Amino acid sequence: SQQGEEDPQALSIQEGENATMNCSYKTSINNLQWYRQNSGRGLVHLILIRSNEREKHSGRLRVTLDTSKKSSSLLITASRAADTASYFCATEGGSSNTGKLIFGQGTTLQVKP
Amino acid sequence: DAGVIQSPRHEVTEMGQEVTLRCKPISGHDYLFWYRQTMMRGLELLIYFNNNVPIDDSGMPEDRFSAKMPNASFSTLKIQPSEPRDSAVYFCASSFVKDTQYFGPGTRLTVL
């Protein structure tokens, strides 16, 4: 079954605006990761946040994690047309620590120039 | 580094035929994952290996699917016989010490 559920399913914004995507999950995790997928391509890792971390930054990306609410958010600031892609959260986790990731259904982001 | 390499990039076949997808992981990575992506079901983990040993194949849809990893630099996913519902994009990914996964470009499979 799906572990991560993204919200919204689709998002359309103007270049320069901020984009926020949310992810909720069901069970305990070791870490949560965000990936980007451009149309027709493989997934590209963006950022990883561990269960004992609350916030992480990488360039224009900001990720938060709230383990009490079992949720995470990805913020892309000052968006660009090149940010147009699908974004997936993926959780690895619980006591098994297997390295196995469970992906959500993704948020499709369109950034209009 | 060349990244994860998958072949073929596109495969069109007829129902009942055998299909073999190939993957070369990034050198030094000890985990290899096979995923399938469709519009209906999203990205599904089929099977993964650690140090060439299959660890979890619970995502393999049925006995028609099999995967092997004969050595650290090569893996195959085989479908025999193929069916139209197997049409999807199949991704291979590799990782080192269970964190970031690096995905290949995928194989788009169409079964007629």
Side-chain angles (χ1 to χ4, degrees), chain A residues 2 31 33 35 37 41-43 45 50 88 97-101 103 105, chain B residues 31 33 35 37 41-43 45 48 56 58 91 98-101 103-104:
Chain A
Q2 291 289 345
N31 66 68
Q33 304 179 34
Y35 287 77
Q37 184 179 32
R41 302 286 193 91
L43 280 73
H45 180 263
R50 301 192 187 279
F88 295 86
N97 196 27
T98 62
K100 175 179 173 179
L101 290 180
F103 284 83
Q105 291 281 39
Chain B
Y31 283 82
F33 305 82
Y35 292 91
Q37 187 176 36
R41 290 197 295 267
L43 196 64
L45 176 66
Y48 77 97
D56 184 346
S58 60
F91 289 104
K98 297 186 289 191
D99 279 348
T100 302
Q101 292 188 17
F103 281 72

PDB file of all heavy atoms in Angstrom, chain A residues 2 31 33 35 37 41-43 45 50 88 97-101 103 105, chain B residues 31 33 35 37 41-43 45 48 56 58 91 98-101 103-104:
ATOM      1  N   GLN A   2       0.312   2.347  -0.455  1.00  0.00           N
ATOM      2  CA  GLN A   2       1.055   3.584  -0.516  1.00  0.00           C
ATOM      3  C   GLN A   2       1.416   4.042   0.879  1.00  0.00           C
ATOM      4  O   GLN A   2       0.609   4.022   1.790  1.00  0.00           O
ATOM      5  CB  GLN A   2       0.202   4.671  -1.201  1.00  0.00           C
ATOM      6  CG  GLN A   2      -0.030   4.427  -2.673  1.00  0.00           C
ATOM      7  CD  GLN A   2       1.211   4.622  -3.506  1.00  0.00           C
ATOM      8  OE1 GLN A   2       2.182   5.199  -3.034  1.00  0.00           O
ATOM      9  NE2 GLN A   2       1.205   4.134  -4.725  1.00  0.00           N
ATOM     10  N   ASN A  31      13.902   7.849   7.440  1.00  0.00           N
ATOM     11  CA  ASN A  31      14.124   9.091   6.725  1.00  0.00           C
ATOM     12  C   ASN A  31      13.042   9.289   5.677  1.00  0.00           C
ATOM     13  O   ASN A  31      12.315   8.343   5.334  1.00  0.00           O
ATOM     14  CB  ASN A  31      15.522   9.136   6.080  1.00  0.00           C
ATOM     15  CG  ASN A  31      15.707   8.099   4.978  1.00  0.00           C
ATOM     16  OD1 ASN A  31      15.086   8.184   3.932  1.00  0.00           O
ATOM     17  ND2 ASN A  31      16.572   7.115   5.215  1.00  0.00           N
ATOM     18  N   GLN A  33      12.551  11.210   1.817  1.00  0.00           N
ATOM     19  CA  GLN A  33      13.307  11.796   0.713  1.00  0.00           C
ATOM     20  C   GLN A  33      12.343  12.415  -0.297  1.00  0.00           C
ATOM     21  O   GLN A  33      11.206  11.967  -0.440  1.00  0.00           O
ATOM     22  CB  GLN A  33      14.151  10.715   0.025  1.00  0.00           C
ATOM     23  CG  GLN A  33      15.089   9.998   0.981  1.00  0.00           C
ATOM     24  CD  GLN A  33      15.895   8.911   0.309  1.00  0.00           C
ATOM     25  OE1 GLN A  33      16.270   9.026  -0.857  1.00  0.00           O
ATOM     26  NE2 GLN A  33      16.161   7.845   1.045  1.00  0.00           N
ATOM     27  N   TYR A  35      12.106  13.459  -4.417  1.00  0.00           N
ATOM     28  CA  TYR A  35      12.673  13.235  -5.740  1.00  0.00           C
ATOM     29  C   TYR A  35      11.906  14.060  -6.761  1.00  0.00           C
ATOM     30  O   TYR A  35      10.726  14.355  -6.589  1.00  0.00           O
ATOM     31  CB  TYR A  35      12.576  11.755  -6.140  1.00  0.00           C
ATOM     32  CG  TYR A  35      13.526  10.835  -5.419  1.00  0.00           C
ATOM     33  CD1 TYR A  35      13.279  10.438  -4.111  1.00  0.00           C
ATOM     34  CD2 TYR A  35      14.682  10.375  -6.045  1.00  0.00           C
ATOM     35  CE1 TYR A  35      14.153   9.593  -3.441  1.00  0.00           C
ATOM     36  CE2 TYR A  35      15.569   9.525  -5.387  1.00  0.00           C
ATOM     37  CZ  TYR A  35      15.290   9.137  -4.091  1.00  0.00           C
ATOM     38  OH  TYR A  35      16.168   8.299  -3.443  1.00  0.00           O
ATOM     39  N   GLN A  37      10.988  14.270 -11.013  1.00  0.00           N
ATOM     40  CA  GLN A  37      10.975  13.536 -12.267  1.00  0.00           C
ATOM     41  C   GLN A  37      10.510  14.462 -13.383  1.00  0.00           C
ATOM     42  O   GLN A  37       9.366  14.924 -13.389  1.00  0.00           O
ATOM     43  CB  GLN A  37      10.052  12.315 -12.200  1.00  0.00           C
ATOM     44  CG  GLN A  37      10.089  11.463 -13.473  1.00  0.00           C
ATOM     45  CD  GLN A  37       9.198  10.247 -13.393  1.00  0.00           C
ATOM     46  OE1 GLN A  37       8.160  10.247 -12.745  1.00  0.00           O
ATOM     47  NE2 GLN A  37       9.611   9.157 -14.048  1.00  0.00           N
ATOM     48  N   ARG A  41      11.728  11.060 -18.016  1.00  0.00           N
ATOM     49  CA  ARG A  41      13.050  10.793 -17.428  1.00  0.00           C
ATOM     50  C   ARG A  41      12.939   9.973 -16.150  1.00  0.00           C
ATOM     51  O   ARG A  41      11.843   9.738 -15.637  1.00  0.00           O
ATOM     52  CB  ARG A  41      13.744  12.122 -17.088  1.00  0.00           C
ATOM     53  CG  ARG A  41      13.939  13.059 -18.247  1.00  0.00           C
ATOM     54  CD  ARG A  41      15.037  12.582 -19.172  1.00  0.00           C
ATOM     55  NE  ARG A  41      15.461  13.588 -20.120  1.00  0.00           N
ATOM     56  CZ  ARG A  41      16.436  14.448 -19.912  1.00  0.00           C
ATOM     57  NH1 ARG A  41      17.072  14.456 -18.764  1.00  0.00           N
ATOM     58  NH2 ARG A  41      16.761  15.305 -20.844  1.00  0.00           N
ATOM     59  N   GLY A  42      14.085   9.544 -15.641  1.00  0.00           N
ATOM     60  CA  GLY A  42      14.121   8.883 -14.346  1.00  0.00           C
ATOM     61  C   GLY A  42      14.026   9.887 -13.208  1.00  0.00           C
ATOM     62  O   GLY A  42      14.049  11.092 -13.425  1.00  0.00           O
ATOM     63  N   LEU A  43      13.885   9.379 -12.009  1.00  0.00           N
ATOM     64  CA  LEU A  43      13.784  10.251 -10.843  1.00  0.00           C
ATOM     65  C   LEU A  43      15.166  10.732 -10.414  1.00  0.00           C
ATOM     66  O   LEU A  43      16.148   9.995 -10.512  1.00  0.00           O
ATOM     67  CB  LEU A  43      13.120   9.515  -9.685  1.00  0.00           C
ATOM     68  CG  LEU A  43      11.598   9.421  -9.715  1.00  0.00           C
ATOM     69  CD1 LEU A  43      11.108   8.442 -10.762  1.00  0.00           C
ATOM     70  CD2 LEU A  43      11.060   9.057  -8.343  1.00  0.00           C
ATOM     71  N   HIS A  45      17.198  12.478  -7.147  1.00  0.00           N
ATOM     72  CA  HIS A  45      17.125  12.761  -5.716  1.00  0.00           C
ATOM     73  C   HIS A  45      17.356  14.251  -5.458  1.00  0.00           C
ATOM     74  O   HIS A  45      18.272  14.865  -6.019  1.00  0.00           O
ATOM     75  CB  HIS A  45      18.189  11.945  -4.986  1.00  0.00           C
ATOM     76  CG  HIS A  45      18.203  12.159  -3.511  1.00  0.00           C
ATOM     77  ND1 HIS A  45      19.069  13.027  -2.892  1.00  0.00           N
ATOM     78  CD2 HIS A  45      17.446  11.628  -2.529  1.00  0.00           C
ATOM     79  CE1 HIS A  45      18.844  13.017  -1.601  1.00  0.00           C
ATOM     80  NE2 HIS A  45      17.870  12.171  -1.354  1.00  0.00           N
ATOM     81  N   ARG A  50      16.231  13.165   7.874  1.00  0.00           N
ATOM     82  CA  ARG A  50      16.157  12.021   8.776  1.00  0.00           C
ATOM     83  C   ARG A  50      15.081  12.261   9.829  1.00  0.00           C
ATOM     84  O   ARG A  50      14.668  13.386  10.088  1.00  0.00           O
ATOM     85  CB  ARG A  50      17.515  11.758   9.423  1.00  0.00           C
ATOM     86  CG  ARG A  50      18.586  11.473   8.382  1.00  0.00           C
ATOM     87  CD  ARG A  50      19.864  10.921   8.945  1.00  0.00           C
ATOM     88  NE  ARG A  50      20.876  10.830   7.897  1.00  0.00           N
ATOM     89  CZ  ARG A  50      20.941   9.839   7.012  1.00  0.00           C
ATOM     90  NH1 ARG A  50      20.069   8.860   7.051  1.00  0.00           N
ATOM     91  NH2 ARG A  50      21.883   9.832   6.093  1.00  0.00           N
ATOM     92  N   PHE A  88       8.064  13.713  -5.954  1.00  0.00           N
ATOM     93  CA  PHE A  88       7.635  12.562  -5.168  1.00  0.00           C
ATOM     94  C   PHE A  88       8.315  12.571  -3.809  1.00  0.00           C
ATOM     95  O   PHE A  88       9.521  12.842  -3.708  1.00  0.00           O
ATOM     96  CB  PHE A  88       8.029  11.259  -5.876  1.00  0.00           C
ATOM     97  CG  PHE A  88       7.344  11.030  -7.191  1.00  0.00           C
ATOM     98  CD1 PHE A  88       7.869  11.558  -8.358  1.00  0.00           C
ATOM     99  CD2 PHE A  88       6.181  10.285  -7.265  1.00  0.00           C
ATOM    100  CE1 PHE A  88       7.243  11.350  -9.594  1.00  0.00           C
ATOM    101  CE2 PHE A  88       5.549  10.065  -8.480  1.00  0.00           C
ATOM    102  CZ  PHE A  88       6.089  10.608  -9.637  1.00  0.00           C
ATOM    103  N   ASN A  97      14.693  -0.931   8.643  1.00  0.00           N
ATOM    104  CA  ASN A  97      15.928  -0.302   8.162  1.00  0.00           C
ATOM    105  C   ASN A  97      16.512  -1.047   6.961  1.00  0.00           C
ATOM    106  O   ASN A  97      17.693  -1.369   6.917  1.00  0.00           O
ATOM    107  CB  ASN A  97      16.969  -0.262   9.295  1.00  0.00           C
ATOM    108  CG  ASN A  97      18.096   0.701   8.987  1.00  0.00           C
ATOM    109  OD1 ASN A  97      17.911   1.671   8.247  1.00  0.00           O
ATOM    110  ND2 ASN A  97      19.265   0.441   9.516  1.00  0.00           N
ATOM    111  N   THR A  98      15.655  -1.302   5.987  1.00  0.00           N
ATOM    112  CA  THR A  98      16.068  -2.134   4.862  1.00  0.00           C
ATOM    113  C   THR A  98      16.624  -1.356   3.688  1.00  0.00           C
ATOM    114  O   THR A  98      17.222  -1.940   2.804  1.00  0.00           O
ATOM    115  CB  THR A  98      14.861  -2.927   4.335  1.00  0.00           C
ATOM    116  OG1 THR A  98      13.875  -1.986   3.874  1.00  0.00           O
ATOM    117  CG2 THR A  98      14.270  -3.826   5.402  1.00  0.00           C
ATOM    118  N   GLY A  99      16.404  -0.060   3.660  1.00  0.00           N
ATOM    119  CA  GLY A  99      16.768   0.715   2.483  1.00  0.00           C
ATOM    120  C   GLY A  99      15.670   0.753   1.444  1.00  0.00           C
ATOM    121  O   GLY A  99      15.799   1.425   0.427  1.00  0.00           O
ATOM    122  N   LYS A 100      14.594   0.056   1.691  1.00  0.00           N
ATOM    123  CA  LYS A 100      13.480   0.027   0.752  1.00  0.00           C
ATOM    124  C   LYS A 100      12.692   1.325   0.864  1.00  0.00           C
ATOM    125  O   LYS A 100      12.322   1.733   1.954  1.00  0.00           O
ATOM    126  CB  LYS A 100      12.597  -1.163   1.114  1.00  0.00           C
ATOM    127  CG  LYS A 100      11.318  -1.318   0.337  1.00  0.00           C
ATOM    128  CD  LYS A 100      10.611  -2.575   0.833  1.00  0.00           C
ATOM    129  CE  LYS A 100       9.235  -2.726   0.226  1.00  0.00           C
ATOM    130  NZ  LYS A 100       8.587  -3.973   0.698  1.00  0.00           N
ATOM    131  N   LEU A 101      12.432   1.986  -0.270  1.00  0.00           N
ATOM    132  CA  LEU A 101      11.670   3.223  -0.301  1.00  0.00           C
ATOM    133  C   LEU A 101      10.259   2.960  -0.796  1.00  0.00           C
ATOM    134  O   LEU A 101      10.064   2.190  -1.734  1.00  0.00           O
ATOM    135  CB  LEU A 101      12.321   4.244  -1.230  1.00  0.00           C
ATOM    136  CG  LEU A 101      13.640   4.860  -0.795  1.00  0.00           C
ATOM    137  CD1 LEU A 101      14.127   5.845  -1.859  1.00  0.00           C
ATOM    138  CD2 LEU A 101      13.491   5.561   0.546  1.00  0.00           C
ATOM    139  N   PHE A 103       7.212   5.086  -2.403  1.00  0.00           N
ATOM    140  CA  PHE A 103       6.948   6.373  -3.033  1.00  0.00           C
ATOM    141  C   PHE A 103       5.472   6.726  -2.992  1.00  0.00           C
ATOM    142  O   PHE A 103       4.603   5.860  -3.098  1.00  0.00           O
ATOM    143  CB  PHE A 103       7.409   6.353  -4.497  1.00  0.00           C
ATOM    144  CG  PHE A 103       8.889   6.452  -4.662  1.00  0.00           C
ATOM    145  CD1 PHE A 103       9.687   5.336  -4.549  1.00  0.00           C
ATOM    146  CD2 PHE A 103       9.484   7.680  -4.936  1.00  0.00           C
ATOM    147  CE1 PHE A 103      11.060   5.427  -4.694  1.00  0.00           C
ATOM    148  CE2 PHE A 103      10.864   7.780  -5.093  1.00  0.00           C
ATOM    149  CZ  PHE A 103      11.653   6.652  -4.970  1.00  0.00           C
ATOM    150  N   GLN A 105       2.284   9.188  -4.760  1.00  0.00           N
ATOM    151  CA  GLN A 105       1.803   9.315  -6.132  1.00  0.00           C
ATOM    152  C   GLN A 105       2.341  10.551  -6.834  1.00  0.00           C
ATOM    153  O   GLN A 105       2.238  10.661  -8.047  1.00  0.00           O
ATOM    154  CB  GLN A 105       0.270   9.339  -6.151  1.00  0.00           C
ATOM    155  CG  GLN A 105      -0.375   8.015  -5.771  1.00  0.00           C
ATOM    156  CD  GLN A 105      -0.372   7.013  -6.909  1.00  0.00           C
ATOM    157  OE1 GLN A 105       0.580   6.893  -7.673  1.00  0.00           O
ATOM    158  NE2 GLN A 105      -1.454   6.281  -7.050  1.00  0.00           N
TER     159      GLN A 105
ATOM    160  N   TYR B  31      23.210  -1.714  -3.412  1.00  0.00           N
ATOM    161  CA  TYR B  31      21.781  -1.985  -3.509  1.00  0.00           C
ATOM    162  C   TYR B  31      21.322  -1.732  -4.941  1.00  0.00           C
ATOM    163  O   TYR B  31      21.731  -0.752  -5.571  1.00  0.00           O
ATOM    164  CB  TYR B  31      20.971  -1.077  -2.575  1.00  0.00           C
ATOM    165  CG  TYR B  31      21.004  -1.494  -1.127  1.00  0.00           C
ATOM    166  CD1 TYR B  31      22.075  -1.148  -0.305  1.00  0.00           C
ATOM    167  CD2 TYR B  31      19.958  -2.232  -0.581  1.00  0.00           C
ATOM    168  CE1 TYR B  31      22.106  -1.540   1.014  1.00  0.00           C
ATOM    169  CE2 TYR B  31      19.974  -2.625   0.750  1.00  0.00           C
ATOM    170  CZ  TYR B  31      21.046  -2.273   1.543  1.00  0.00           C
ATOM    171  OH  TYR B  31      21.069  -2.652   2.861  1.00  0.00           O
ATOM    172  N   PHE B  33      17.576  -1.741  -7.228  1.00  0.00           N
ATOM    173  CA  PHE B  33      16.117  -1.773  -7.131  1.00  0.00           C
ATOM    174  C   PHE B  33      15.518  -1.791  -8.535  1.00  0.00           C
ATOM    175  O   PHE B  33      15.995  -1.106  -9.436  1.00  0.00           O
ATOM    176  CB  PHE B  33      15.604  -0.513  -6.408  1.00  0.00           C
ATOM    177  CG  PHE B  33      16.217  -0.279  -5.060  1.00  0.00           C
ATOM    178  CD1 PHE B  33      17.456   0.335  -4.927  1.00  0.00           C
ATOM    179  CD2 PHE B  33      15.531  -0.652  -3.902  1.00  0.00           C
ATOM    180  CE1 PHE B  33      18.021   0.561  -3.679  1.00  0.00           C
ATOM    181  CE2 PHE B  33      16.094  -0.428  -2.646  1.00  0.00           C
ATOM    182  CZ  PHE B  33      17.333   0.180  -2.539  1.00  0.00           C
ATOM    183  N   TYR B  35      11.822  -0.921 -10.316  1.00  0.00           N
ATOM    184  CA  TYR B  35      10.511  -0.299 -10.128  1.00  0.00           C
ATOM    185  C   TYR B  35       9.729  -0.360 -11.433  1.00  0.00           C
ATOM    186  O   TYR B  35      10.291  -0.432 -12.514  1.00  0.00           O
ATOM    187  CB  TYR B  35      10.653   1.192  -9.760  1.00  0.00           C
ATOM    188  CG  TYR B  35      11.249   1.487  -8.417  1.00  0.00           C
ATOM    189  CD1 TYR B  35      12.628   1.655  -8.270  1.00  0.00           C
ATOM    190  CD2 TYR B  35      10.443   1.655  -7.290  1.00  0.00           C
ATOM    191  CE1 TYR B  35      13.180   1.970  -7.032  1.00  0.00           C
ATOM    192  CE2 TYR B  35      10.983   1.968  -6.053  1.00  0.00           C
ATOM    193  CZ  TYR B  35      12.360   2.124  -5.937  1.00  0.00           C
ATOM    194  OH  TYR B  35      12.901   2.439  -4.716  1.00  0.00           O
ATOM    195  N   GLN B  37       6.495   1.927 -13.258  1.00  0.00           N
ATOM    196  CA  GLN B  37       5.687   3.139 -13.133  1.00  0.00           C
ATOM    197  C   GLN B  37       4.575   3.141 -14.164  1.00  0.00           C
ATOM    198  O   GLN B  37       4.823   2.997 -15.369  1.00  0.00           O
ATOM    199  CB  GLN B  37       6.548   4.402 -13.307  1.00  0.00           C
ATOM    200  CG  GLN B  37       5.786   5.681 -13.019  1.00  0.00           C
ATOM    201  CD  GLN B  37       6.670   6.916 -13.106  1.00  0.00           C
ATOM    202  OE1 GLN B  37       7.569   7.000 -13.942  1.00  0.00           O
ATOM    203  NE2 GLN B  37       6.453   7.871 -12.212  1.00  0.00           N
ATOM    204  N   ARG B  41      -1.053   3.133 -11.177  1.00  0.00           N
ATOM    205  CA  ARG B  41      -0.534   2.675  -9.878  1.00  0.00           C
ATOM    206  C   ARG B  41       0.690   3.441  -9.397  1.00  0.00           C
ATOM    207  O   ARG B  41       1.210   3.152  -8.321  1.00  0.00           O
ATOM    208  CB  ARG B  41      -0.236   1.187  -9.947  1.00  0.00           C
ATOM    209  CG  ARG B  41      -1.486   0.311 -10.024  1.00  0.00           C
ATOM    210  CD  ARG B  41      -1.161  -1.126  -9.668  1.00  0.00           C
ATOM    211  NE  ARG B  41      -0.256  -1.707 -10.640  1.00  0.00           N
ATOM    212  CZ  ARG B  41      -0.654  -2.396 -11.697  1.00  0.00           C
ATOM    213  NH1 ARG B  41      -1.939  -2.582 -11.927  1.00  0.00           N
ATOM    214  NH2 ARG B  41       0.223  -2.904 -12.538  1.00  0.00           N
ATOM    215  N   GLY B  42       1.144   4.399 -10.199  1.00  0.00           N
ATOM    216  CA  GLY B  42       2.309   5.169  -9.779  1.00  0.00           C
ATOM    217  C   GLY B  42       3.574   4.340  -9.829  1.00  0.00           C
ATOM    218  O   GLY B  42       3.723   3.448 -10.657  1.00  0.00           O
ATOM    219  N   LEU B  43       4.491   4.612  -8.912  1.00  0.00           N
ATOM    220  CA  LEU B  43       5.794   3.959  -8.888  1.00  0.00           C
ATOM    221  C   LEU B  43       5.753   2.823  -7.877  1.00  0.00           C
ATOM    222  O   LEU B  43       5.544   3.042  -6.696  1.00  0.00           O
ATOM    223  CB  LEU B  43       6.848   4.993  -8.491  1.00  0.00           C
ATOM    224  CG  LEU B  43       8.306   4.669  -8.746  1.00  0.00           C
ATOM    225  CD1 LEU B  43       8.580   4.530 -10.232  1.00  0.00           C
ATOM    226  CD2 LEU B  43       9.184   5.769  -8.166  1.00  0.00           C
ATOM    227  N   LEU B  45       7.693  -0.601  -6.267  1.00  0.00           N
ATOM    228  CA  LEU B  45       8.918  -1.379  -6.103  1.00  0.00           C
ATOM    229  C   LEU B  45       8.611  -2.835  -6.409  1.00  0.00           C
ATOM    230  O   LEU B  45       7.713  -3.411  -5.812  1.00  0.00           O
ATOM    231  CB  LEU B  45       9.463  -1.237  -4.687  1.00  0.00           C
ATOM    232  CG  LEU B  45      10.688  -2.076  -4.358  1.00  0.00           C
ATOM    233  CD1 LEU B  45      11.888  -1.619  -5.161  1.00  0.00           C
ATOM    234  CD2 LEU B  45      10.989  -2.011  -2.862  1.00  0.00           C
ATOM    235  N   TYR B  48      14.266  -5.835  -4.812  1.00  0.00           N
ATOM    236  CA  TYR B  48      15.559  -5.219  -4.652  1.00  0.00           C
ATOM    237  C   TYR B  48      16.590  -6.212  -4.141  1.00  0.00           C
ATOM    238  O   TYR B  48      16.249  -7.214  -3.525  1.00  0.00           O
ATOM    239  CB  TYR B  48      15.499  -3.941  -3.812  1.00  0.00           C
ATOM    240  CG  TYR B  48      15.386  -4.108  -2.323  1.00  0.00           C
ATOM    241  CD1 TYR B  48      16.513  -4.043  -1.500  1.00  0.00           C
ATOM    242  CD2 TYR B  48      14.147  -4.257  -1.728  1.00  0.00           C
ATOM    243  CE1 TYR B  48      16.396  -4.142  -0.130  1.00  0.00           C
ATOM    244  CE2 TYR B  48      14.024  -4.358  -0.358  1.00  0.00           C
ATOM    245  CZ  TYR B  48      15.145  -4.291   0.442  1.00  0.00           C
ATOM    246  OH  TYR B  48      15.029  -4.386   1.812  1.00  0.00           O
ATOM    247  N   ASP B  56      13.917  -8.612  -1.123  1.00  0.00           N
ATOM    248  CA  ASP B  56      12.465  -8.488  -1.024  1.00  0.00           C
ATOM    249  C   ASP B  56      11.893  -8.498  -2.424  1.00  0.00           C
ATOM    250  O   ASP B  56      12.120  -7.572  -3.193  1.00  0.00           O
ATOM    251  CB  ASP B  56      12.114  -7.198  -0.293  1.00  0.00           C
ATOM    252  CG  ASP B  56      10.607  -7.041  -0.053  1.00  0.00           C
ATOM    253  OD1 ASP B  56       9.809  -7.780  -0.658  1.00  0.00           O
ATOM    254  OD2 ASP B  56      10.231  -6.163   0.745  1.00  0.00           O
ATOM    255  N   SER B  58       8.527  -9.064  -2.830  1.00  0.00           N
ATOM    256  CA  SER B  58       7.081  -9.068  -2.584  1.00  0.00           C
ATOM    257  C   SER B  58       6.303  -8.215  -3.578  1.00  0.00           C
ATOM    258  O   SER B  58       5.105  -8.374  -3.723  1.00  0.00           O
ATOM    259  CB  SER B  58       6.784  -8.597  -1.157  1.00  0.00           C
ATOM    260  OG  SER B  58       7.276  -7.294  -0.950  1.00  0.00           O
ATOM    261  N   PHE B  91      11.997   1.111 -14.199  1.00  0.00           N
ATOM    262  CA  PHE B  91      13.201   1.807 -13.762  1.00  0.00           C
ATOM    263  C   PHE B  91      14.070   0.891 -12.920  1.00  0.00           C
ATOM    264  O   PHE B  91      13.586   0.088 -12.128  1.00  0.00           O
ATOM    265  CB  PHE B  91      12.844   3.034 -12.902  1.00  0.00           C
ATOM    266  CG  PHE B  91      12.236   4.163 -13.669  1.00  0.00           C
ATOM    267  CD1 PHE B  91      10.874   4.410 -13.609  1.00  0.00           C
ATOM    268  CD2 PHE B  91      13.030   4.997 -14.445  1.00  0.00           C
ATOM    269  CE1 PHE B  91      10.302   5.459 -14.312  1.00  0.00           C
ATOM    270  CE2 PHE B  91      12.471   6.048 -15.153  1.00  0.00           C
ATOM    271  CZ  PHE B  91      11.109   6.269 -15.082  1.00  0.00           C
ATOM    272  N   LYS B  98      22.110   2.419   1.563  1.00  0.00           N
ATOM    273  CA  LYS B  98      20.666   2.523   1.798  1.00  0.00           C
ATOM    274  C   LYS B  98      20.089   3.939   1.803  1.00  0.00           C
ATOM    275  O   LYS B  98      18.959   4.120   2.220  1.00  0.00           O
ATOM    276  CB  LYS B  98      20.273   1.834   3.125  1.00  0.00           C
ATOM    277  CG  LYS B  98      20.543   0.368   3.147  1.00  0.00           C
ATOM    278  CD  LYS B  98      20.013  -0.273   4.406  1.00  0.00           C
ATOM    279  CE  LYS B  98      20.826   0.107   5.611  1.00  0.00           C
ATOM    280  NZ  LYS B  98      20.443  -0.739   6.785  1.00  0.00           N
ATOM    281  N   ASP B  99      20.822   4.933   1.382  1.00  0.00           N
ATOM    282  CA  ASP B  99      20.232   6.262   1.388  1.00  0.00           C
ATOM    283  C   ASP B  99      19.734   6.673  -0.004  1.00  0.00           C
ATOM    284  O   ASP B  99      18.786   6.139  -0.498  1.00  0.00           O
ATOM    285  CB  ASP B  99      21.219   7.273   1.959  1.00  0.00           C
ATOM    286  CG  ASP B  99      21.225   7.264   3.477  1.00  0.00           C
ATOM    287  OD1 ASP B  99      20.323   6.655   4.056  1.00  0.00           O
ATOM    288  OD2 ASP B  99      22.129   7.861   4.085  1.00  0.00           O
ATOM    289  N   THR B 100      20.397   7.623  -0.591  1.00  0.00           N
ATOM    290  CA  THR B 100      19.958   8.158  -1.867  1.00  0.00           C
ATOM    291  C   THR B 100      19.956   7.102  -2.956  1.00  0.00           C
ATOM    292  O   THR B 100      20.948   6.386  -3.143  1.00  0.00           O
ATOM    293  CB  THR B 100      20.896   9.305  -2.292  1.00  0.00           C
ATOM    294  OG1 THR B 100      20.884  10.301  -1.287  1.00  0.00           O
ATOM    295  CG2 THR B 100      20.474   9.884  -3.624  1.00  0.00           C
ATOM    296  N   GLN B 101      18.860   7.019  -3.695  1.00  0.00           N
ATOM    297  CA  GLN B 101      18.805   6.108  -4.825  1.00  0.00           C
ATOM    298  C   GLN B 101      19.027   6.896  -6.114  1.00  0.00           C
ATOM    299  O   GLN B 101      18.492   7.991  -6.283  1.00  0.00           O
ATOM    300  CB  GLN B 101      17.452   5.390  -4.863  1.00  0.00           C
ATOM    301  CG  GLN B 101      17.282   4.422  -3.699  1.00  0.00           C
ATOM    302  CD  GLN B 101      16.037   3.559  -3.805  1.00  0.00           C
ATOM    303  OE1 GLN B 101      15.431   3.432  -4.876  1.00  0.00           O
ATOM    304  NE2 GLN B 101      15.658   2.947  -2.703  1.00  0.00           N
ATOM    305  N   PHE B 103      18.506   6.779 -10.093  1.00  0.00           N
ATOM    306  CA  PHE B 103      17.652   6.100 -11.058  1.00  0.00           C
ATOM    307  C   PHE B 103      18.262   6.131 -12.460  1.00  0.00           C
ATOM    308  O   PHE B 103      18.894   7.105 -12.863  1.00  0.00           O
ATOM    309  CB  PHE B 103      16.277   6.766 -11.118  1.00  0.00           C
ATOM    310  CG  PHE B 103      15.372   6.361  -9.989  1.00  0.00           C
ATOM    311  CD1 PHE B 103      15.591   6.823  -8.698  1.00  0.00           C
ATOM    312  CD2 PHE B 103      14.298   5.509 -10.215  1.00  0.00           C
ATOM    313  CE1 PHE B 103      14.759   6.434  -7.651  1.00  0.00           C
ATOM    314  CE2 PHE B 103      13.456   5.125  -9.185  1.00  0.00           C
ATOM    315  CZ  PHE B 103      13.689   5.593  -7.901  1.00  0.00           C
ATOM    316  N   GLY B 104      18.014   5.059 -13.190  1.00  0.00           N
ATOM    317  CA  GLY B 104      18.331   5.048 -14.604  1.00  0.00           C
ATOM    318  C   GLY B 104      17.250   5.762 -15.399  1.00  0.00           C
ATOM    319  O   GLY B 104      16.246   6.211 -14.836  1.00  0.00           O
TER     320      GLY B 104
END
